[in-house]
């Protein structure tokens, strides 16, 4: 078996309130990446269910509006259940293609929505990770995940895990994932700033792992005409500008960052680079001091 694994990150926009279209787009993008030899495919944060960039849901401190409640109702209706028809379709797809897929989704669990990363493989649906801390105004519309969904999956060739968007800034989360032996660090995101690439390179160097970050490229045209983001109503306005990237365990950019539109980045990952990088730094091994520092992770399910 070759020591090279081909990975792909998909940069695409998810149309708000059109989950069926976004699912079809996820399937088409995955097929295209797999046709180019990709064994692992990563899609952006909130790809199924949508990321409501620039919407305020009628919230100010101490007050909510009827219009904002109805907007949340539409968003709630666009979310998916797990398991559900969308996960069954993607599971059938990865069984057919024999690849692994990580895709961002808005998961509906009764009255609460979660920003979730879903994992699929040649055996179908594998599991999920729920974002632990929604960022800033995201806390208005999403609940918090708990420690029970911090999986790392062994693909047979490398170990696959995920942190969503600004979770990548949480040092203890990163350490917990490193301790689980993650080799392919998937980072579905909507952070399109130049600084995001710096963060991805840092995570790769710190964790001595490959980083696969998939971002959306979203325009105002992807938002319904009766919904008005703060960025304005010009259909050409870019709401999320991409920046998807693939990084080596020593922080070298292997593909990207992709700007200016949608696309698929691919890179051939030399899995031998994992050992080469950990030769002089293993954050949870020979470069750790467990006699000085300890980390406790509560993986008890907390959802009722």
């Amino acid at each position: 078996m070759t020591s090279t694994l081909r990975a792909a990150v998909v940069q695409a926009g998810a149309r708000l309130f059109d989950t069926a279209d976004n699912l079809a787009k996820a399937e088409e993008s995955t097929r295209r990446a797999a046709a180019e030899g990709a064994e692992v495919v990563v899609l952006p944060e909130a790809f199924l269910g949508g990321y409501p960039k620039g919407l305020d849901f009628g919230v100010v401190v101490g007050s909510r509006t009827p219009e904002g409640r109805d907007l949340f109702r539409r968003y709630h209706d666009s979310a998916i259940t797990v398991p559900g028809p969308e996960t069954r379709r993607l599971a059938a797809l990865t069984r057919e293609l024999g690849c692994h897929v990580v895709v961002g989704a808005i998961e509906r669990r009764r009255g609460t929505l979660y920003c979730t990363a879903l994992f699929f493989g040649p055996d179908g649906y594998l599991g999920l990770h729920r974002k632990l801390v929604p960022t800033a105004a995201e806390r208005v519309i999403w609940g918090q995940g708990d420690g029970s969904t911090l999986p790392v999956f062994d693909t047979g060739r490398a170990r696959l895990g995920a942190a969503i968007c600004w979770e990548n800034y949480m040092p203890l989360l990163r350490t917990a994932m490193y301790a689980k032996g993650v080799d392919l660090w998937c980072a579905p995101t909507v952070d399109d700033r130049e600084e995001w690439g710096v963060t991805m390179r840092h995570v790769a160097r710190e964790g001595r792992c490959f980083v696969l970050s998939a971002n959306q490229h979203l325009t105002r045209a992807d938002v319904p005409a009766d919904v008005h983001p703060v960025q304005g109503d010009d259909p050409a306005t870019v709401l999320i500008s991409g920046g998807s990237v693939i990084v080596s365990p020593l922080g070298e950019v292997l593909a990207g960052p992709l700007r200016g539109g949608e696309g698929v980045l691919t890179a051939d990952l030399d899995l031998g680079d994992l050992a080469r990088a950990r030769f002089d730094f293993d954050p949870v091994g020979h470069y750790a001091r467990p006699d000085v520092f300890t980390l406790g992770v509560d993986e008890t399910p907390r959802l009722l």
Side-chain angles (χ1 to χ4, degrees):
M1 180 179 294
T2 176
S3 66
T4 301
L5 181 152
R6 178 163 292 184
V9 296
V10 174
Q11 179 162 295
R15 294 179 60 86
L16 201 58
F17 310 138
D18 196 347
T19 300
D21 180 77
N22 298 331
L23 176 59
K25 198 170 188 177
E27 291 173 317
E28 188 278 330
S29 298
T30 299
R31 285 190 180 277
R32 180 151 51 104
E36 296 178 3
E39 299 177 49
V40 175
V41 183
V42 183
L43 291 95
E45 178 181 14
F47 198 75
L48 304 178
Y51 189 83
K53 185 72 176 282
L55 304 184
D56 62 14
F57 290 84
V59 172
V60 296
V61 175
S63 178
R64 272 74 60 199
T65 67
E67 295 79 10
R69 291 183 184 277
D70 196 55
L71 185 61
F72 180 78
R73 192 251 335 144
R74 293 170 68 182
Y75 193 50
H76 185 272
D77 289 348
S78 298
I80 71 169
T81 56
V82 181
E86 294 83 6
T87 58
R88 286 191 288 272
R89 276 178 56 174
L90 290 173
L93 179 68
T94 56
R95 282 195 294 265
E96 173 194 343
L97 299 177
C99 66
H100 285 81
V101 169
V102 179
V103 56
I106 302 305
E107 177 196 1
R108 181 176 65 246
R109 185 180 170 94
R110 296 190 290 273
T112 298
L113 303 182
Y114 297 93
C115 183
T116 299
L118 303 172
F119 296 82
F120 301 88
D123 294 327
Y125 173 68
L126 301 177
L128 59 78
H129 163 59
R130 296 188 182 103
K131 193 173 188 178
L132 291 176
V133 183
T135 301
E138 293 173 355
R139 298 178 198 182
V140 172
I141 54 174
W142 298 339
Q144 292 186 319
D146 60 35
S148 68
T149 68
L150 297 173
V152 171
F153 297 99
D154 192 340
T155 71
R157 305 196 59 203
R159 294 174 61 79
L160 184 70
I164 304 169
C165 206
W166 275 27
E167 285 188 315
N168 287 271
Y169 290 120
M170 299 174 69
L172 300 185
L173 171 63
R174 296 201 307 270
T175 303
M177 295 294 286
Y178 301 154
K180 289 175 181 255
V182 63
D183 298 316
L184 307 181
W185 180 287
C186 303
T189 189
V190 295
D191 191 331
D192 59 2
R193 301 168 306 157
E194 294 292 336
E195 295 88 345
W196 182 252
V198 177
T199 295
M200 294 297 91
R201 295 183 71 182
H202 170 78
V203 171
R205 282 186 62 84
E206 179 183 70
R208 286 327 206 231
C209 53
F210 291 98
V211 169
L212 315 173
S213 182
N215 201 353
Q216 292 198 34
H217 187 277
L218 188 74
T219 68
R220 171 64 181 85
D222 295 312
V223 177
D226 65 332
V227 176
H228 304 285
V230 297
Q231 293 89 343
D233 285 329
D234 181 346
T237 298
V238 175
L239 302 180
I240 306 172
S241 65
S244 300
V245 68
I246 300 175
V247 187
S248 82
L250 288 177
E252 300 162 340
V253 175
L254 302 177
L258 179 59
R259 299 283 180 187
E262 298 187 340
V264 178
L265 294 176
T266 60
D268 290 324
L269 313 183
D270 182 349
L271 299 181
D273 284 345
L274 295 165
R276 296 182 187 103
R278 292 165 181 168
F279 165 59
D280 54 0
F281 186 84
D282 179 352
V284 291
H286 63 78
Y287 218 95
R289 286 293 304 274
D291 56 322
V292 178
F293 304 108
T294 58
L295 173 64
V297 182
D298 186 348
E299 298 193 30
T300 306
R302 300 294 181 181
L303 300 183
L304 298 177

